[in-house]
């Protein structure tokens, strides 16, 4: 997939455009959530939608997340495609029961007769100086819930393309938006905006031969930076952007790891019980004899997300990634 | 700027935003549950409707006893009986038009059946061969909801969606007295009122949430009094008076269909049986209470009325009974056949399109089953 | 046994469980918010209390403007101002005895400060050096609760526990109009009423939940009308009338302390500032509305009253102003010092006893910080 | 720790006794939940407590899980030690926000000034013929939440001992009770009932030399059975009972794996994003050069929990475990 870079936009703008285009193309697409209408969302990601499509298509709901997701379930039962915004990661927790007990299971429960094409947009992760409850990385909860797709863009083009795909999907998608990339700018091609790999495919963002960094969402830019810095140490690092945690692209990931023989999984979420465990375990199961070193993980510490003034110590940064790369038993090679 | 610099006009009047709002009085329920049977209002009731209700009640009771029997025969994993609550179950189904939607809770298989769903399909969840047995779209009945009150926001969303589409569809959602304590109850009613969604909430207050009596569940004058807090009318009805429940629900459905918004109906009834066949109700309630309620049996109330008014004779009673027996016999017979089980179906409906991971796991199970069959074959072969 | 075999007594009376229950009338709020200032009731108010309230309101407003200023100077990450709501914030703090507990929501740092917590500690969350800055037990103030309405069940549990222990402690929990839509609001009020817990709920209805106006939040006649659905009294009060709020809250606290159970109080007020410094309120509301409310300013309402009654003169106003300025100056000065940060503290309070895993991670961070310092040292050394 | 086996009891009885003894020893211990009082719980685990200690100490709450846990938080703030029963695994989901945003974080939020010594008892797992929502294995959600202890007994003695420890702990403990072991009987010593290893320690339930099965809760008996059956195939399997998922006992687990060089993690929870990923990853990180084969996982499929008539296909059984053991690359040895 080649994208002719023509027009710089922020990730937030690409997301807005994705919803706008989806709403224009399909009258069953409805956006709903707290402050998504008149205000355009606290991150302005739904800006303009209520104006263009009316308040019935982009609705300010009462302040109750279970109610938002629960009514979205009913709307989907009647043939609509709700796109639900949870205002922040931690404020999706009240909707957990609806998500786990209904959204993820309704298709299976009814033997396919009642699919729920709901997109749950969750701004997630830290690095924005947010106070408590505004910086959680909750992807482990969603990954452990069969029946959900869990998708997260790291580039502007993917923000558009993956959100369009998520809204078009007949399955429920938890769409995790890395808050700190909302204002990241990139060039993309608005004429081929959906010209990205499908949900379920990982993408090699930087080819390399020494070792593979496997990451997603907010940590992709950090990994790319680390890969640049690693050159000075003589390491040519490959960087994979998973894009979709569920379904998981074993093929792309394992092909890369088999090539390099070494891998580090990088994410912001806490390490223990976080996504990295699953990823490292499945790589090891599949590529054991290609591994020169154990798959290592660089993750947030196993602590509640820190207050803003301390968050930099928690977030995986370039140095921590390079330290992990250094521990990939290079001496064994010689 | 500090306060001091802001001096000026000062208005010791009511706060500016305050306009006299909706008068709460019409939203409050009557002091006593509404009844028709045994009152003057009974004369106005349509004889045909009364007979239909009667036939359905008799069928409903028989359905309950048959399903309970099936648990003893190991044909159902569990059965939460609605014995004593048939008036609510049946009236709920009959108050709806074909295009309307019903949102049952786990106890409401009878309402589901009364709406036209095949009883065997309605019992799939409780038999345990799959989660939901019927096609929700075929009769516009949502799957039975086990997590309490979670179905209420679904009903609101569906009703709202229908209204947005311009369809005059109403959703009726059932919940128990216990379920009203859940946050989802609150959120659903609030969304419904704010959106003026065409939805009716029927609380079957049967006195208990498993072992917990109403007094430990709420301190409210009645559950119907919760309605005013959402800005919708609350109605209180004798839940064993099928005619009254039918009337109150029909009114609420009409009101919703006409754009009048949601209604909360509390039907005061009683769970005659234990919570489920697995429960021992003697641990938490006495016989006297149960007996008092048996004397207020929904079927007998209606039967008495019909007989008094000459709308039902022994032959009619017998006909209803026969019809119920036939239903029970067919149910028994069909439930005694083992359901067809396909382990591979476990993987078929998790996603619209299966994943590589599930394909792997499917293959694993397939191989296991083949190995199992081989072993069986060998053993049988060896035994011969 | 089928129905047919159960014939016998039949009782077309109200359902057996039905006893006339609590009369709802006393639970319903008045049609208009209760006011004292500008009415006859004002004569009965204790002059000392009025002066105390006044001094606190002036301080409170100054606290709000100072904290907002600190956001502009980068000294606070964010500040949700309670400008316009000072009467509620202050009255909430003053209505409590020392042994009572306050459960603030994220907007209520002013109530926390008015209760006696050091303003710098009250602002820790919003400065961002830690989550909660004060010792909750020192002043019996729970940490500021960001997830809306989640603090309400905490207040109920604490009040219930105190009652079980035989302590006559009351909990006062604050929540916004938006927060009333959350399931936790419902569950908390229900538990409180069922347990008859000594807790008072104060809803500051300031017209908005960020950008969402009350009309999109609820269709109820008033938020105070929700009380009857739980079986507790609902009270409606002018939230800009500090004397009225203080009186209503004090009554409710007394009632709770005496074993009378919980009360829901709705104070009608207005959020004069944007949601937080990061918000742009012009996107969703007009100036006229804000101006109307400015003319109903809580400080001016009280100041007018006090001046009229000869309880306050220019010197008194000036004294209050000076006191507020001193508080602001001290706050400014202390907030301008960088807080002490200890990255290692990230690991210290996750568990009572740290785990092997956290020890490992602590060591990792320690090593990183040492390496960082070394690099810094080298750079500085090199530069010299 | 040696336990003189003297008195057979079911796990349910041991749990009841643990609460009873804790309540007798400490007046601040309060039991609360749906139907825990007069009825004694739907599994009868709280049987007799209301009678002995009164309804104020063992309280039937209204039917609202967030309310139950939320009020327990308040009670703990005032110095009580609430023991909360969630009626079934899936019915703990409404309490998720309270658990994640408050229970797990209050100590850290207040710099240790406001600990919450709450025990959340959750009957979990399948194998009891339960209909939908009655057989979830939700431990992955709890493991991914820093600030919680996650404990699960597999033996009668541990049921007593671990529950006593959980109630005595100053930290919140999610205490997962394997439903299908409620009626499992075992001999234990009521005179030394707390004579078990502390929370945080794993225990070798069966020593072995060929490979290590790592498991917990409902899967322990299955693993022990598999180990017996494996003898016929010439494998001497070690079986480790984790007992506590958080904190995790790396020491015991790694010592075992280093000895045997091969490991299989067994649990009922879905595999993807489940506990096994974390466990396999951390073993690999720590014992890479001791591993003769990748750490394999035998877990529930990545599907919503099946209806009762199909659950046996989902649950890891002896054959599936032995198949995994067979895949541990034994040929590599020769
Ligand atoms: C969220 C949730 N919590 C707990 C349960 C377990 N449970 C099943 S039925 C029941 C009692 C329900 O009482 P009520 O709402 O009055 O309905 P009824 O059984 O009387 O029909 C409980 C607690 C559940 N199904 N869902
Ligand atoms: C559970 C939850 N959902 C969403 C939010 C994000 N949020 C913060 S403040 C706010 C509006 C609150 O409105 P209201 O309750 O009226 O209080 P006010 O801000 O007016 O004081 C929202 C939606 C939150 N903090 N918690
Ligand atoms: Mg009930
Ligand atoms: Mg507000």
């Amino acid at each position: 997939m080649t994208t002719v870079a023509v027009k710089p936009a922020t990730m937030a703008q690409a997301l807005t455009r994705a919803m706008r285009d989806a709403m224009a193309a399909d009258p069953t697409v409805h956006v709903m959530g707290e402050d998504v209408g008149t205000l355009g969302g606290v991150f302005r990601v739904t800006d303009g939608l209520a104006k263009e499509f009316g308040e019935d298509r982009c609705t300010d709901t009462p302040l109750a997340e279970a109610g938002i997701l629960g009514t979205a379930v009913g709307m989907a039962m009647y043939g609509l495609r709700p796109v639900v915004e949870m205002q922040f990661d931690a404020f999706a927790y009240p909707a957990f029961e609806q998500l786990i007990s209904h959204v993820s299971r309704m298709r299976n429960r009814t033997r396919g007769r009642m699919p729920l094409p709901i997109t749950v947009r969750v701004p997630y992760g830290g690095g924005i100086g947010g106070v408590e409850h505004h910086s959680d990385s909750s992807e482990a909860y969603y990954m452990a819930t069969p029946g959900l797709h869990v998708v997260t863009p790291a580039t502007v083009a993917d923000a558009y393309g993956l959100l369009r795909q998520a809204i078009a999907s007949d399955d429920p998608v938890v769409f995790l938006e890395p808050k700190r990339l909302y204002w990241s700018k990139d060039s993309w091609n608005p004429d081929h905006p959906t010209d990205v790999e499908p949900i379920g495919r990982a993408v090699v963002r930087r080819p390399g031969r020494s070792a593979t960094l496997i990451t997603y969402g907010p940590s992709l830019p950090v990994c790319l930076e680390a890969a640049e810095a690693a050159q000075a140490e003589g390491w040519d690092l490959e960087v994979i952007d998973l894009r979709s945690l569920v379904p998981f692209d074993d093929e792309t990931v394992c092909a890369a790891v088999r090539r390099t023989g070494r891998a580090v999984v990088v994410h912001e979420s806490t390490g223990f019980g976080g996504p990295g465990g699953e990823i490292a375990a499945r790589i090891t199961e599949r590529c054991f004899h290609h591994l020169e070193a154990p798959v290592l993980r660089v993750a947030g510490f196993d602590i509640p997300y820190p207050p803003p003034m301390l968050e930099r110590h928690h977030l995986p940064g370039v140095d921590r990634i390079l330290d992990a790369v250094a521990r990939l038993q290079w001496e064994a090679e010689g | 700027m500090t306060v001091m610099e802001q001096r000026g006009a000062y208005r010791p009047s009511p706060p500016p935003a305050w306009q006299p709002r909706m008068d709460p009085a019409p939203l409050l329920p009557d002091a006593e549950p509404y009844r028709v049977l045994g009152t003057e209002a009974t004369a106005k009731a349509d004889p045909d409707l009364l007979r239909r209700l009667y036939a359905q009640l008799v069928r409903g009771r028989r359905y309950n006893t048959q399903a309970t029997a099936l648990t003893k025969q190991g044909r159902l994993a569990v059965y939460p009986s609605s014995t004593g609550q048939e008036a609510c179950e049946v009236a709920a189904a009959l108050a709806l038009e074909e295009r309307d939607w019903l949102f049952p809770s786990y106890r409401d298989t009878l309402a589901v059946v009364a709406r036209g769903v095949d009883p065997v399909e309605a019992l799939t969840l409780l038999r345990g061969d799959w989660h939901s047995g019927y096609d929700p779209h075929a009769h516009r009945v949502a799957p039975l909801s086990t997590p309490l009150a979670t179905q209420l926001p679904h009903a609101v969303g569906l009703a709202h969606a229908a209204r947005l589409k311009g369809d005059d569809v109403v959703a009726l959602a059932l919940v128990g007295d216990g379920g009203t304590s859940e946050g989802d109850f609150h959120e659903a009613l609030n969304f419904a009122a704010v959106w003026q969604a065409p939805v009716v909430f029927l609380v079957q207050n049967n006195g208990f949430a498993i072992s917990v009596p109403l007094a430990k569940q709420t301190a409210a004058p009645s559950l119907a009094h919760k309605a005013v807090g959402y800005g919708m009318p609350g109605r209180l009805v004798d839940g064993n008076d099928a005619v009254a429940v039918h009337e109150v629900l029909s009114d609420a459905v009409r009101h919703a269909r006409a754009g009048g918004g949601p209604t909360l109906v509390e039907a005061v009834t009683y769970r005659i049986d234990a919570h489920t066949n697995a429960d021992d109700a003697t641990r938490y309630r006495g016989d006297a209470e149960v007996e008092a309620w048996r004397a207020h049996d929904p079927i007998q109330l209606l039967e008495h009325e019909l007989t008094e008014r000459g709308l039902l004779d022994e032959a009619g009673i017998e006909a209803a009974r026969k019809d119920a027996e036939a239903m029970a016999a067919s149910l028994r017979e069909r439930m005694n056949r083992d359901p067809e089980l396909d382990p591979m179906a476990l993987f078929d409906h998790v996603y619209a399109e299966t994943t590589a991971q599930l394909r792997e796991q499917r293959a694993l199970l397939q191989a296991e089953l083949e190995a199992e069959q081989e072993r069986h074959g060998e053993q049988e072969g060896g035994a011969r």
Side-chain angles (χ1 to χ4, degrees), chain A, chain B:
Chain A
M1 308 258 159
T2 52
T3 300
V4 191
V6 286
K7 211 188 135 187
T10 66
M11 181 179 283
Q13 287 165 338
L15 293 166
T16 309
R17 169 96 185 254
M19 281 184 277
R20 197 225 144 261
D21 291 355
M23 291 173 89
D26 180 351
T28 69
V29 175
H30 283 242
V31 171
M32 57 199 286
E34 294 158 9
D35 304 288
V36 298
T38 315
L39 184 67
V42 294
F43 292 105
R44 303 290 182 270
V45 175
T46 56
D47 200 16
L49 300 180
K51 206 161 182 195
E52 184 171 353
F53 298 99
E55 290 202 12
D56 282 346
R57 297 280 306 279
C58 179
T59 309
D60 281 334
T61 63
L63 207 170
E65 292 77 9
I68 296 170
L69 190 55
T71 52
V73 168
M75 291 164 71
M77 286 176 163
Y78 204 77
L80 301 186
R81 286 187 179 268
V83 181
V84 164
E85 174 173 310
M86 295 285 154
Q87 199 161 78
F88 280 86
D89 27 62
F91 307 144
Y93 299 152
F96 236 88
E97 183 187 32
Q98 285 290 345
L99 188 74
I100 299 177
S101 294
H102 290 302
V103 174
S104 76
R105 299 184 188 184
M106 192 65 82
R107 168 186 291 278
N108 186 63
R109 174 180 302 151
T110 60
R111 288 198 175 98
R113 286 154 176 161
M114 194 165 247
L116 293 181
I118 299 176
T119 303
V120 185
R121 295 179 40 240
V122 186
Y124 84 119
I128 58 155
V131 301
E132 205 190 351
H133 307 289
H134 289 78
S135 296
D136 281 17
S137 291
S138 35
E139 56 267 36
Y141 302 134
Y142 306 122
M143 283 176 70
T145 307
L148 300 177
H149 287 306
V150 184
V151 171
T152 180
T155 69
V156 173
D158 262 0
Y160 182 93
L162 287 173
L163 185 52
R164 287 298 304 267
Q165 293 175 29
I167 295 172
S169 169
D170 283 338
D171 284 318
V173 178
V174 175
F175 193 86
L176 298 166
E177 303 175 357
K179 280 196 282 289
R180 60 169 151 146
L181 300 185
Y182 269 150
W183 306 280
S184 68
K185 261 205 160 133
D186 204 353
S187 298
W188 67 317
N189 187 345
D191 297 327
H192 300 277
T194 49
D195 200 4
V196 300
E197 292 280 344
I199 288 176
R201 300 304 295 183
V203 160
V204 176
R205 294 285 177 206
R206 184 192 198 278
R209 288 164 304 104
S210 322
T212 306
L213 301 183
I214 299 158
T215 193
Y216 56 86
S219 297
L220 176 65
V222 188
C223 285
L224 290 172
E225 203 187 324
E228 286 307 308
Q231 282 189 309
E233 320 262 339
W235 293 315
D236 179 21
L237 299 185
E238 176 156 84
V239 179
I240 291 190
D241 175 4
L242 292 172
R243 302 172 73 249
S244 139
L245 295 168
V246 184
F248 191 86
D249 187 354
D250 285 312
E251 205 182 303
T252 303
V253 170
C254 288
V257 174
R258 287 198 191 101
R259 255 188 334 263
T260 61
R262 290 181 172 84
V264 179
V265 186
V266 180
H267 59 63
E268 237 183 87
S269 167
T270 53
F272 192 87
E278 176 60 43
I279 298 167
R282 44 198 315 119
I283 293 173
T284 309
E285 283 162 0
R286 284 162 171 75
C287 317
F288 187 67
H289 291 292
H290 294 83
L291 288 176
E292 308 284 344
V295 179
L296 295 182
R297 293 179 284 169
V298 175
F301 296 125
D302 299 331
I303 60 175
Y305 196 88
M309 286 185 174
L310 293 170
E311 68 180 336
R312 74 179 185 90
H313 301 292
H314 178 69
L315 294 171
V318 169
D319 287 342
R320 199 172 293 161
I321 294 170
L322 294 184
D323 286 350
V325 171
R327 277 183 283 120
L328 287 173
Q329 314 194 349
W330 300 96
E331 65 288 357
E333 263 199 335
Chain B
M1 188 167 63
T2 68
V3 202
M4 300 302 116
E5 293 150 22
Q6 287 182 8
R7 295 214 206 132
Y10 129 89
R11 213 176 290 162
S13 48
W18 193 258
Q19 308 111 354
R21 283 184 257 178
M22 190 194 312
D23 177 13
L27 306 183
L28 290 170
D30 298 335
E32 289 235 333
Y34 177 67
R35 293 183 297 124
V36 171
L37 297 177
T39 74
E40 259 114 71
T42 202
K44 282 185 293 176
D46 168 20
D48 263 5
L49 174 69
L50 296 187
R51 276 189 290 245
R52 265 176 74 213
L53 283 169
Y54 176 73
Q56 287 286 341
L57 290 187
V58 173
R59 258 179 101 100
R61 174 67 50 86
R62 190 63 191 85
Y63 168 82
N64 272 322
T65 55
Q66 182 56 60
T68 302
L70 287 167
T71 63
K72 296 192 184 114
Q73 295 147 20
R75 285 297 175 178
L76 284 179
V78 65
Y79 184 68
S81 165
S82 58
T83 295
Q85 304 175 221
E86 290 91 347
C88 295
E89 297 282 317
V90 162
L94 267 57
L96 294 178
E97 301 287 332
E98 213 179 300
R99 63 188 177 286
D100 295 335
W101 274 77
L102 180 72
F103 285 79
S105 98
Y106 77 105
R107 192 179 295 287
D108 304 311
T109 51
L110 174 53
V112 171
V113 169
R115 177 127 173 99
V117 172
D118 178 339
V120 173
E121 291 187 357
L123 289 169
T124 298
L125 172 75
L126 304 169
R127 169 147 79 165
D129 50 313
W130 198 257
H131 306 297
S132 186
Y134 47 90
D135 179 351
H137 294 286
H139 295 269
R140 287 151 313 282
V141 179
L144 298 161
S145 180
T146 301
L148 298 166
T150 55
Q151 71 279 15
L152 305 182
H154 304 172
V156 175
L158 182 135
H160 178 62
R163 187 149 158 269
L164 290 179
K165 278 203 183 175
D167 302 345
D168 68 338
V169 164
V170 174
L172 172 61
L174 307 183
V175 67
D177 47 311
T180 64
S181 295
E182 290 281 4
D184 275 13
F185 171 86
H186 176 70
E187 301 190 9
L189 269 75
N190 188 45
F191 273 68
V194 169
W195 286 348
Q196 287 292 292
V199 55
V200 177
F201 303 97
L202 172 61
V203 179
Q204 291 185 60
N205 170 5
N206 64 3
F208 287 91
I210 307 186
S211 70
V212 179
L214 189 67
K216 288 187 187 173
Q217 201 64 249
T218 181
S222 80
L223 296 168
H225 278 88
K226 291 183 184 292
V228 65
Y230 304 103
M232 69 175 79
R235 295 288 166 252
L236 197 52
V237 61
D238 181 341
N240 287 16
D241 180 337
V243 188
V245 180
H246 186 268
E247 185 185 321
V248 169
L249 288 180
S250 300
D251 283 353
V253 166
R254 230 181 339 261
H255 184 71
R257 200 183 312 281
T263 301
L264 172 65
V265 179
E266 174 188 354
V268 182
T269 178
Y270 196 77
R271 200 194 71 208
I272 292 289
D273 287 344
H275 166 60
T276 67
N277 53 297
D279 179 41
D280 173 9
T282 63
R283 282 185 160 244
Y284 52 82
R285 70 182 185 188
D287 285 347
E289 184 181 316
V290 183
E291 285 316 311
W293 276 97
R294 277 196 202 277
H296 193 69
D297 184 85
I299 304 183
Q300 292 177 48
L301 286 175
L302 185 54
E303 194 175 298
H304 180 91
E305 184 77 41
L306 285 168
T307 334
E308 292 276 289
R309 290 182 54 194
L311 295 170
L312 188 73
D313 56 12
E314 278 300 321
I317 293 175
E318 189 52 30
R321 180 204 171 104
K322 273 210 174 132
D323 167 65
E325 281 306 327
M327 178 277 303
S330 148
L331 177 57
R332 200 166 48 230
E333 190 263 322
R334 292 172 61 209
M335 290 295 289
N336 275 329
R337 281 180 239 148
D338 286 334
E340 270 179 54
L341 293 175
D342 175 15
M344 289 305 134
L346 290 175
F347 302 100
D348 291 348
H349 305 294
V350 183
Y351 297 103
E353 210 181 303
T354 193
T355 63
Q357 286 77 37
L358 288 182
R359 264 194 305 273
E360 274 178 25
Q361 294 171 26
R362 198 180 200 283
L364 177 75
L365 180 57
Q366 186 81 57
E368 284 181 7
L369 291 175
E370 277 159 21
E372 203 179 293
Q373 217 143 33
E374 237 168 72
R375 277 199 302 273
H376 271 264
E378 274 167 33
Q379 278 172 8
E380 277 172 27
R384 249 177 257 143

